[in-house]
Amino acid sequence: MIYLDNGSTSFPKAEGMSEFVKKFLDERCFNINRGAYSSSTDTSELVYDTREKAAEFFGGEKGKKVIFTSGVTFSLNLVLNGLLGNGDKAVTTYMEHNAVLRPLSKLTKQGTEVNFVNCDGNGEIDLNDLEEKLRQNPKVCVVTHASNVCGTIMPIKEIGALCRRYGVIFVVDAAQTAGVVDIDMSRDNIDVLCFTGHKGLLGMQGIGGVIFGGDTAEICSPFCYGGTGSFSHTTEMPKILPDKFEAGTLNLPGIASLNYCFDFLKQKGIQNIFAHEKKLQALFEEGVKQLNNVEIIGGKAKNRCAVTSLDFKNVDNGEASFVLDTEYSIMTRSGLHCAPYAHKTLGTFPRGTVRFAFGYKTTEEEVKKAIQAVAKI
Ligand SMILES: Cc1ncc(COP(=O)(O)O)c(C=O)c1O
């Protein structure tokens, strides 16, 4: 079995994470904010500690501005719905995932105007077009840090600087980069960071978060309403953080997994993981460039994460992915990868591509086998 679908979720997960989570489940999986007993306080400390680690990991402001969610999709829904409404303007790019496009589409129906920034055939953003759109007084600019189709990394620091210049709230979808590419909210001028725990962070599915910077948490309305274990005398959501955005019981095992993973990644060094994945991507692309049955899509972008999309010329891409699985035990993903506009931009709509996404445990031998399999197909 060769797993090359790390763009979807990382596999395997961080070594030792499952044991850590099991111990947590076995020994102290009590709810926080609800019990006065001391073991519940221990669990609260773990959650608090995870907020601190997340803030440190992403260069965010300490503590309470870290909100836990079920993943980046929920995070983006929370942030976009909380910040935008009738009469507001938003700016985004043509390289976004449906986790951005669909909330924006719903908001458009409620009176938000959404403007799209052009990207080229390698998925690279047109910064002049962005500036033009930022001049039109939008409230929010939301951009994916890296394309989940072709790996193109957006120049978030420059985009953030432009957003600052025009007083626009800069929201980043870090689904493909958190845990692999160095992100520093302060250095990169990010106002709100949305991340997911189960991809590059090597944690469990069902956990992710939002990190608010500056006064964005105050401006953002709550998205999900319910009990917080605090201010129970009132039927309004609390204004304090993180309670304002965390109604209902949190995914505590997921938070425990993140707690472990932040330490794991710090110890491994994300720059080492990124270098490893990039080396394998280069090896793969060198190999498939020699073949005349496939084209690498968006492969000429200046900066990319280890996500490669191939367009097979002699066979349907869905069928190629199926054959890779059934005949070679190589797991890839075909189709549009929830990013229809990205495929239109890259020229692969509606046929899609076959995506190979390398992970921290992928080996050279596996990559060589993948090249051979592509050649045979
Ligand atoms: C760029 C991007 N944004 C958002 C998502 C949604 O992530 P999740 O399913 O963890 O919410 C993905 C997942 O593939 C993605 O690649």
PDB file of all heavy atoms in Angstrom, residues 7 71-73 97 99 144 146 148 173 175-176 196 198-199, ligand 1:
ATOM      1  N   GLY A   7      -2.845  15.143   0.692  1.00  0.00           N
ATOM      2  CA  GLY A   7      -3.555  16.413   0.532  1.00  0.00           C
ATOM      3  C   GLY A   7      -4.955  16.322   1.115  1.00  0.00           C
ATOM      4  O   GLY A   7      -5.562  17.324   1.508  1.00  0.00           O
ATOM      5  N   GLY A  71     -12.759  21.624  12.212  1.00  0.00           N
ATOM      6  CA  GLY A  71     -11.835  21.580  11.069  1.00  0.00           C
ATOM      7  C   GLY A  71     -11.882  22.903  10.339  1.00  0.00           C
ATOM      8  O   GLY A  71     -12.649  23.810  10.692  1.00  0.00           O
ATOM      9  N   VAL A  72     -11.084  23.006   9.309  1.00  0.00           N
ATOM     10  CA  VAL A  72     -10.958  24.296   8.637  1.00  0.00           C
ATOM     11  C   VAL A  72     -12.262  24.697   7.938  1.00  0.00           C
ATOM     12  O   VAL A  72     -12.560  25.883   7.800  1.00  0.00           O
ATOM     13  CB  VAL A  72      -9.738  24.299   7.688  1.00  0.00           C
ATOM     14  CG1 VAL A  72      -9.963  23.450   6.467  1.00  0.00           C
ATOM     15  CG2 VAL A  72      -9.349  25.705   7.287  1.00  0.00           C
ATOM     16  N   THR A  73     -13.063  23.730   7.518  1.00  0.00           N
ATOM     17  CA  THR A  73     -14.343  24.072   6.886  1.00  0.00           C
ATOM     18  C   THR A  73     -15.228  24.824   7.881  1.00  0.00           C
ATOM     19  O   THR A  73     -15.800  25.873   7.561  1.00  0.00           O
ATOM     20  CB  THR A  73     -15.061  22.799   6.390  1.00  0.00           C
ATOM     21  OG1 THR A  73     -14.225  22.175   5.423  1.00  0.00           O
ATOM     22  CG2 THR A  73     -16.408  23.108   5.767  1.00  0.00           C
ATOM     23  N   HIS A  97     -10.766  26.507  -2.413  1.00  0.00           N
ATOM     24  CA  HIS A  97     -11.504  25.263  -2.149  1.00  0.00           C
ATOM     25  C   HIS A  97     -12.971  25.640  -1.898  1.00  0.00           C
ATOM     26  O   HIS A  97     -13.276  26.770  -1.508  1.00  0.00           O
ATOM     27  CB  HIS A  97     -10.886  24.642  -0.887  1.00  0.00           C
ATOM     28  CG  HIS A  97     -11.351  23.274  -0.533  1.00  0.00           C
ATOM     29  ND1 HIS A  97     -12.506  23.047   0.178  1.00  0.00           N
ATOM     30  CD2 HIS A  97     -10.805  22.056  -0.751  1.00  0.00           C
ATOM     31  CE1 HIS A  97     -12.649  21.743   0.379  1.00  0.00           C
ATOM     32  NE2 HIS A  97     -11.627  21.114  -0.178  1.00  0.00           N
ATOM     33  N   ALA A  99     -14.577  25.039   0.544  1.00  0.00           N
ATOM     34  CA  ALA A  99     -14.734  25.464   1.948  1.00  0.00           C
ATOM     35  C   ALA A  99     -14.774  26.983   2.049  1.00  0.00           C
ATOM     36  O   ALA A  99     -15.293  27.532   3.028  1.00  0.00           O
ATOM     37  CB  ALA A  99     -13.599  24.906   2.802  1.00  0.00           C
ATOM     38  N   THR A 144      -6.521  31.092   0.055  1.00  0.00           N
ATOM     39  CA  THR A 144      -5.896  29.837   0.458  1.00  0.00           C
ATOM     40  C   THR A 144      -4.381  30.032   0.493  1.00  0.00           C
ATOM     41  O   THR A 144      -3.822  30.708  -0.371  1.00  0.00           O
ATOM     42  CB  THR A 144      -6.278  28.702  -0.520  1.00  0.00           C
ATOM     43  OG1 THR A 144      -5.786  27.484   0.006  1.00  0.00           O
ATOM     44  CG2 THR A 144      -5.720  28.901  -1.920  1.00  0.00           C
ATOM     45  N   ALA A 146      -2.159  27.573   0.188  1.00  0.00           N
ATOM     46  CA  ALA A 146      -1.628  26.772  -0.927  1.00  0.00           C
ATOM     47  C   ALA A 146      -2.768  26.041  -1.604  1.00  0.00           C
ATOM     48  O   ALA A 146      -3.704  25.580  -0.943  1.00  0.00           O
ATOM     49  CB  ALA A 146      -0.591  25.771  -0.433  1.00  0.00           C
ATOM     50  N   ASN A 148      -4.853  23.207  -3.121  1.00  0.00           N
ATOM     51  CA  ASN A 148      -4.945  21.754  -2.892  1.00  0.00           C
ATOM     52  C   ASN A 148      -4.979  21.004  -4.222  1.00  0.00           C
ATOM     53  O   ASN A 148      -5.006  19.787  -4.229  1.00  0.00           O
ATOM     54  CB  ASN A 148      -6.182  21.405  -2.058  1.00  0.00           C
ATOM     55  CG  ASN A 148      -7.469  21.714  -2.796  1.00  0.00           C
ATOM     56  OD1 ASN A 148      -7.614  22.782  -3.350  1.00  0.00           O
ATOM     57  ND2 ASN A 148      -8.402  20.777  -2.807  1.00  0.00           N
ATOM     58  N   ASP A 173      -6.766  30.538   4.617  1.00  0.00           N
ATOM     59  CA  ASP A 173      -7.133  29.121   4.703  1.00  0.00           C
ATOM     60  C   ASP A 173      -5.826  28.336   4.631  1.00  0.00           C
ATOM     61  O   ASP A 173      -5.243  28.170   3.562  1.00  0.00           O
ATOM     62  CB  ASP A 173      -8.058  28.769   3.519  1.00  0.00           C
ATOM     63  CG  ASP A 173      -8.280  27.265   3.372  1.00  0.00           C
ATOM     64  OD1 ASP A 173      -7.740  26.489   4.181  1.00  0.00           O
ATOM     65  OD2 ASP A 173      -8.980  26.863   2.420  1.00  0.00           O
ATOM     66  N   ALA A 175      -5.318  25.172   5.174  1.00  0.00           N
ATOM     67  CA  ALA A 175      -5.576  23.723   5.169  1.00  0.00           C
ATOM     68  C   ALA A 175      -4.364  22.928   4.674  1.00  0.00           C
ATOM     69  O   ALA A 175      -3.990  21.917   5.262  1.00  0.00           O
ATOM     70  CB  ALA A 175      -6.796  23.409   4.301  1.00  0.00           C
ATOM     71  N   GLN A 176      -3.754  23.374   3.587  1.00  0.00           N
ATOM     72  CA  GLN A 176      -2.683  22.585   2.975  1.00  0.00           C
ATOM     73  C   GLN A 176      -1.294  22.897   3.545  1.00  0.00           C
ATOM     74  O   GLN A 176      -0.333  22.207   3.213  1.00  0.00           O
ATOM     75  CB  GLN A 176      -2.656  22.799   1.449  1.00  0.00           C
ATOM     76  CG  GLN A 176      -3.843  22.185   0.725  1.00  0.00           C
ATOM     77  CD  GLN A 176      -3.882  20.662   0.817  1.00  0.00           C
ATOM     78  OE1 GLN A 176      -2.849  19.993   0.899  1.00  0.00           O
ATOM     79  NE2 GLN A 176      -5.072  20.104   0.814  1.00  0.00           N
ATOM     80  N   THR A 196      -6.640  23.245   9.961  1.00  0.00           N
ATOM     81  CA  THR A 196      -7.255  21.948  10.231  1.00  0.00           C
ATOM     82  C   THR A 196      -6.185  21.042  10.848  1.00  0.00           C
ATOM     83  O   THR A 196      -4.994  21.195  10.563  1.00  0.00           O
ATOM     84  CB  THR A 196      -7.846  21.372   8.917  1.00  0.00           C
ATOM     85  OG1 THR A 196      -8.938  20.531   9.236  1.00  0.00           O
ATOM     86  CG2 THR A 196      -6.846  20.613   8.076  1.00  0.00           C
ATOM     87  N   HIS A 198      -5.951  17.589  10.784  1.00  0.00           N
ATOM     88  CA  HIS A 198      -5.722  16.217  10.305  1.00  0.00           C
ATOM     89  C   HIS A 198      -4.871  16.112   9.049  1.00  0.00           C
ATOM     90  O   HIS A 198      -4.672  15.029   8.524  1.00  0.00           O
ATOM     91  CB  HIS A 198      -7.074  15.531  10.053  1.00  0.00           C
ATOM     92  CG  HIS A 198      -7.821  16.095   8.883  1.00  0.00           C
ATOM     93  ND1 HIS A 198      -7.855  15.458   7.670  1.00  0.00           N
ATOM     94  CD2 HIS A 198      -8.535  17.233   8.722  1.00  0.00           C
ATOM     95  CE1 HIS A 198      -8.576  16.190   6.824  1.00  0.00           C
ATOM     96  NE2 HIS A 198      -9.000  17.272   7.450  1.00  0.00           N
ATOM     97  N   LYS A 199      -4.367  17.249   8.560  1.00  0.00           N
ATOM     98  CA  LYS A 199      -3.504  17.164   7.363  1.00  0.00           C
ATOM     99  C   LYS A 199      -2.048  17.309   7.833  1.00  0.00           C
ATOM    100  O   LYS A 199      -1.559  16.424   8.509  1.00  0.00           O
ATOM    101  CB  LYS A 199      -3.911  18.224   6.344  1.00  0.00           C
ATOM    102  CG  LYS A 199      -5.350  18.025   5.813  1.00  0.00           C
ATOM    103  CD  LYS A 199      -5.655  19.046   4.727  1.00  0.00           C
ATOM    104  CE  LYS A 199      -7.127  19.163   4.438  1.00  0.00           C
ATOM    105  NZ  LYS A 199      -7.574  18.316   3.351  1.00  0.00           N
TER     106      LYS A 199
HETATM  107  C1  LIG B   1      -7.388  24.365   0.602  1.00  0.00           C
HETATM  108  C2  LIG B   1      -8.382  23.596   1.434  1.00  0.00           C
HETATM  109  N1  LIG B   1      -9.297  24.266   2.159  1.00  0.00           N
HETATM  110  C3  LIG B   1     -10.200  23.616   2.914  1.00  0.00           C
HETATM  111  C4  LIG B   1     -10.230  22.241   2.998  1.00  0.00           C
HETATM  112  C5  LIG B   1     -11.243  21.562   3.883  1.00  0.00           C
HETATM  113  O1  LIG B   1     -10.593  20.872   4.912  1.00  0.00           O
HETATM  114  P1  LIG B   1     -11.417  20.056   6.039  1.00  0.00           P
HETATM  115  O2  LIG B   1     -12.096  18.966   5.294  1.00  0.00           O
HETATM  116  O3  LIG B   1     -10.375  19.582   6.984  1.00  0.00           O
HETATM  117  O4  LIG B   1     -12.376  20.982   6.671  1.00  0.00           O
HETATM  118  C6  LIG B   1      -9.314  21.507   2.265  1.00  0.00           C
HETATM  119  C7  LIG B   1      -9.341  20.029   2.297  1.00  0.00           C
HETATM  120  O5  LIG B   1      -8.904  19.348   1.421  1.00  0.00           O
HETATM  121  C8  LIG B   1      -8.359  22.201   1.472  1.00  0.00           C
HETATM  122  O6  LIG B   1      -7.451  21.527   0.761  1.00  0.00           O
END
